Amino acid sequence: MTPSLFTHTAIDTNLETAAEWLRQGTCIGIPTETVYGLAANALNAAAVARIFEVKNRPAFDPLIVHVTDVEAAEALVIALPPLARRLMAYFWPGPLTILLPRKAIIPDLVTSGLPEVALRSPAHPMAQALLRALPFPLAAPSANPFGYVSPTTAQHVFDQLQNKIPYILDGGPCSVGVESTIIAIRNNSQATVYRLGGIPVEALEAVVGPVDVQLNESSNPAAPGMLASHYAPRKPVYHTLFDNVKDFTGGRKIGLIAFGPQKPPAEVTIYLNLSPSGDLAEAAQQLFIALRQLDRADIDLIVAEPLPDMGLGRAINDRLKRAAAK
Ligand code: TXA
Ligand code: MG
């Protein structure tokens, strides 16, 4: 199916215009605190189908449903385990997505036929205001073509989806910069993380005790979630210390993504430091901006140095590892 085209894609801050497009069953770009989403009425299968067309996303990869609050979530699920309630109380609105048994009002397409729906309440004030203006929840994947780096500004969305969507609600640069953490409750008591993201594992553990982390490394996961090759720029990415590759680059031009206080190596053409002061939150905010910038730049390959594997650093390393998997 070829998505129908719009001759013009507006970037603006008008909530009422955004709400009107969504009421009409159109999908549009919206800001969240993590990354920009490609949103449509989650209860309208035709509107949801358009998301898959615009993103060129395989139908086996389900979508997150965005809600205003716990009460709105309750209307979509057949059960809400106490542990899920506790997580929502602590982390909603915010970058935490919880898998829960869905009600039949959620179209099969949203969950790819799976019995659970992924729910999240975004903290971005414009996303909240938009949800409150609408009588339905919003299905929204990240607003990038399937497999590419997620957008963290309205311009990123425009660069890749112009003329496929009529409107991008501009909420400024995303404050978190990596996608939400995805968690499920197993056996009514075990919190299991399926995707590292904006809420660090340590923060979850401070609230619910030890959590299980089960990241999908395969490129054909039985339970959709995290494909191994994902978040990938077009240029080759090496997720390693620059010192490990500098002798093997054969004169090719290198873009280096670094972190923390250090001096740019002389052999590097473009040097981007995600946070010279070593702040992981700042690094997360800058991550996809840096990958996009280097993908466009006149360099041959990207070297991204691993960050400290803790807090948000773990989610950042996970994205870089997937960007490097080809
Ligand atoms: O921060 C975020 O989560 C952003 C913003 C827009 O909210 N959204 C986002 O969506 O990252 P997306 O579609 O790019 O990634 C959602 C991931 C996918 O890997 C999908 O497979 C998984 O969540 N997922 C969604 N629903 C699921 C379900 N019912 N069961 C298992 N995995 C699910
Ligand atoms: Mg995505």
Side-chain angles (χ1 to χ4, degrees):
M1 254 187 304
T2 316
S4 51
L5 298 179
F6 292 91
T7 50
H8 180 65
T9 302
I11 303 183
D12 209 343
T13 56
N14 192 319
L15 277 167
E16 189 38 49
T17 308
E20 189 48 36
W21 280 115
L22 292 164
R23 283 187 210 104
Q24 288 175 23
T26 308
C27 61
I28 62 166
I30 65 159
T32 84
E33 74 281 21
T34 57
V35 301
Y36 274 73
L38 182 63
N41 179 350
L43 305 182
N44 174 340
V48 171
R50 282 279 301 146
I51 294 178
F52 285 88
E53 283 176 37
V54 168
K55 257 196 85 115
N56 203 6
R57 179 174 175 123
F60 64 72
D61 198 4
L63 307 178
I64 295 174
V65 174
H66 298 71
V67 295
T68 44
D69 53 20
V70 181
E71 211 185 315
E74 279 173 335
L76 303 176
V77 301
I78 55 178
L80 198 50
L83 194 55
R85 227 176 249 286
R86 197 169 154 76
L87 286 165
M88 288 172 175
Y90 271 86
F91 297 109
W92 276 17
L96 183 69
T97 295
I98 309 181
L99 299 178
L100 291 163
R102 65 161 165 153
K103 280 189 184 154
I105 44 164
I106 297 179
D108 281 342
L109 192 53
V110 171
T111 67
S112 305
L114 294 169
E116 288 183 318
V117 61
L119 295 181
R120 146 164 146 80
S121 178
H124 194 295
M126 281 173 106
Q128 273 291 327
L130 186 61
L131 284 165
R132 285 177 195 284
L134 294 167
F136 47 77
L138 291 173
S142 52
N144 50 281
F146 182 68
Y148 196 70
V149 179
S150 295
T152 53
T153 67
Q155 186 64 41
H156 290 167
V157 182
F158 184 87
D159 290 345
Q160 292 189 301
L161 300 182
Q162 57 176 302
N163 300 339
K164 292 187 175 164
I165 52 176
Y167 199 74
I168 302 165
L169 185 63
D170 189 351
C174 300
S175 60
V176 176
V178 292
E179 298 85 348
S180 61
T181 301
I182 301 182
I183 200 167
I185 314 296
R186 298 294 171 228
N187 306 320
N188 255 316
S189 60
Q190 179 59 57
T192 301
V193 169
Y194 288 112
R195 178 173 74 180
L196 299 168
I199 301 286
V201 171
E202 295 90 330
L204 295 170
E205 291 190 324
V207 174
V208 298
V211 306
D212 224 23
V213 180
Q214 286 185 22
L215 307 179
N216 214 325
E217 314 290 344
S218 125
S219 58
N220 184 17
M226 292 79 250
L227 302 176
S229 168
H230 218 138
Y231 312 101
R234 291 176 199 90
K235 297 211 166 110
V237 178
Y238 297 85
H239 184 217
T240 185
L241 290 174
F242 177 66
D243 275 350
N244 294 337
V245 291
K246 68 174 180 202
D247 297 333
F248 306 103
T249 53
R252 287 179 294 169
K253 284 187 250 174
I254 301 168
L256 179 65
I257 296 180
F259 173 80
Q262 53 165 276
K263 218 167 89 223
E267 303 92 327
V268 155
T269 306
I270 301 180
Y271 175 84
L272 297 178
N273 195 318
L274 297 179
S275 173
S277 71
D279 176 351
L280 291 169
E282 182 185 25
Q285 238 172 49
Q286 295 303 315
L287 175 67
F288 291 143
I289 296 173
L291 283 173
R292 278 170 188 267
Q293 188 179 332
L294 291 183
D295 211 17
R296 276 196 321 266
D298 180 22
I299 52 154
D300 304 309
L301 59 97
I302 299 169
V303 178
E305 298 200 315
L307 277 74
D309 216 28
M310 51 181 283
L312 285 172
R314 241 178 122 176
I316 298 170
N317 285 332
D318 171 82
R319 299 304 185 273
L320 289 173
K321 191 167 113 197
R322 289 170 203 279
K326 275 279 163 69

